[in-house]
Amino acid sequence: MNAIEYLWKDRRRVLGMPLSFTRYRLSEDRLFCEKGFLNLKSDEVLLYRVQDLELTMSLGQRIFGVGTVCVHSSDKSMPHLDLKNVKRPREVKELIHQNVEAAKDRRRMRATEVLGKDGGVEYCDGDDLDFIPDEDCCAED
C-alpha cells in the first residue's frame, strides 16, 4: 500500500500556536480532518465533491495570523468541514480551490447551476463537461 503524499498539513491553532490535537491534511484528491489524542476520529472529503469554499477571519484570528476555511460539499457524511484557526488561510483556500478544480477535471465532473423557481440557485452534478440537466434534475423531493 502506498503512503499518501500530502500537499499541505496544519493543526488547529490556539493563540497562533499549533497546540491542539486536531490535524488537517490535503492530498491530491481528498481533504482530511483528524481529531483526538487517545480516541481518534478521522473524516475526509473527496475534493471533487466540494461545492463552495468560504473564508472567515475574526479580529482575534487576524491578530494571530490565522483564519477558518469553510468547505461545503455534496458529501452526505461530511457536508460541511471547518478548517479552524489555520495559518495563512487565504493561501490554504486557494490551494484547496486549485486542487478541487483539478480533481473535477480528472473525473470530468462539473456542477451546472440551475435557477430555481423561487430565484435561488440549485446545483445538478453532471458526469461530463457537456452535461445538460433535464427538468427534474434538481426537483425537490
Side-chain angles (χ1 to χ4, degrees), residues 1-2 4 12-13 19 28 31 40 44 49 52 55 65 67 80 82 101 104 110 126 128 133 135:
M1 185 175 203
N2 296 336
I4 298 172
R12 181 176 179 177
R13 294 172 178 269
L19 301 175
E28 183 177 278
L31 183 60
L40 210 57
E44 66 182 64
R49 291 188 176 269
D52 194 26
L55 173 65
H80 184 84
D82 286 341
E101 293 302 312
K104 287 181 180 182
R110 286 290 163 211
D128 64 23
E135 286 184 28

Side-chain angles (χ1 to χ4, degrees), residues 25-135:
R25 294 182 178 108
L26 175 68
S27 75
E28 183 177 278
D29 61 345
R30 292 176 286 178
L31 183 60
F32 301 89
C33 176
E34 192 174 88
K35 297 178 182 181
F37 178 64
L38 296 177
N39 296 319
L40 210 57
K41 181 180 180 203
S42 184
D43 289 311
E44 66 182 64
V45 174
L46 294 169
L47 291 182
Y48 78 89
R49 291 188 176 269
V50 173
Q51 293 178 331
D52 194 26
L53 296 170
E54 180 183 344
L55 173 65
T56 59
M57 294 175 68
S58 67
L59 177 61
Q61 286 177 315
R62 290 189 347 238
I63 288 170
F64 290 105
V66 298
T68 299
V69 178
C70 306
V71 179
H72 304 276
S73 76
S74 62
D75 191 318
K76 300 287 185 214
S77 64
M78 181 64 62
H80 184 84
L81 174 62
D82 286 341
L83 308 178
K84 296 179 182 178
N85 296 335
V86 295
K87 198 161 75 171
R88 296 189 299 274
R90 286 183 181 94
E91 293 172 28
V92 170
K93 181 181 174 228
E94 184 59 29
L95 181 63
I96 294 170
H97 170 73
Q98 290 170 358
N99 283 281
V100 164
E101 293 302 312
K104 287 181 180 182
D105 286 345
R106 279 192 302 276
R107 288 182 169 261
R108 298 188 60 181
M109 296 285 292
R110 286 290 163 211
T112 304
E113 293 182 356
V114 177
L115 190 59
K117 292 181 179 116
D118 61 353
V121 175
E122 299 172 0
Y123 296 92
C124 298
D125 290 331
D127 60 5
D128 64 23
L129 296 175
D130 58 358
F131 174 76
I132 299 172
D134 59 24
E135 286 184 28

